Amino acid sequence: MLDRAAIEMRQSDFRRAVTASEQILKQVSQLQEKMASGRSRRQSEDLLTEIEKLAKRIKSLSGAGSLEQEERLPESPQQALEQLKVSAEALHQAMKKLNAYAISVEVIIRSDQIIRLSRALRQMIRGESGS
């Protein structure tokens, strides 16, 4: 049986993970706006870095190790951004279904997808600015 401090810590970690999933959703929306305008590549890179950090935090708070799957990455920034949005929405929905004492494979997989997509999209943006 868990003692009071362990229970409070687990609940606190869970609240932080839910908050991080909400922040990812907001930042993906901001990223879509920035990329649609075609300006602010530096700000887009910063948003992607923050999205990746938040996804790593969720993955860590979920107790996951490295599960990164080697899926084929999208070829265009628009496809990557759309997949990032879908993954962020799915992650947030999965987080809302959980409680502080459950571990979800879907949360871990979606976190991995967000990490991979944010890295890939950041590289695509850097490649465009280098051209």
Side-chain angles (χ1 to χ4, degrees), residues 69-82:
Q69 300 172 343
E70 293 300 323
E71 295 176 4
R72 211 166 146 239
L73 292 172
E75 295 182 15
S76 73
Q78 292 79 16
Q79 290 173 334
L81 186 57
E82 186 58 35

Side-chain angles (χ1 to χ4, degrees), residues 105-123:
V105 174
E106 182 179 7
V107 167
I108 296 166
I109 290 171
R110 292 296 183 176
S111 296
D112 273 342
Q113 287 174 340
I114 291 169
I115 292 166
R116 287 180 55 258
L117 288 167
S118 61
R119 287 177 185 166
L121 194 51
R122 198 168 52 242
Q123 288 299 323

Side-chain angles (χ1 to χ4, degrees), residues 15-66:
R15 284 190 301 270
R16 288 192 338 225
V18 171
T19 300
S21 74
E22 291 168 354
Q23 290 174 335
I24 288 173
L25 272 177
K26 288 177 187 174
Q27 291 182 348
V28 167
S29 294
Q30 291 174 359
L31 181 62
Q32 285 180 307
E33 292 170 11
K34 299 265 185 233
M35 290 186 70
S37 70
R39 296 177 285 143
S40 306
R41 288 188 176 156
R42 180 67 188 150
Q43 289 176 344
S44 295
E45 284 186 47
D46 291 345
L47 281 171
L48 287 164
T49 300
E50 186 61 26
I51 289 167
E52 182 180 344
K53 285 179 187 176
L54 291 167
K56 285 180 180 179
R57 180 178 304 150
I58 291 170
K59 187 175 160 184
S60 173
L61 291 171
S62 296
S66 179

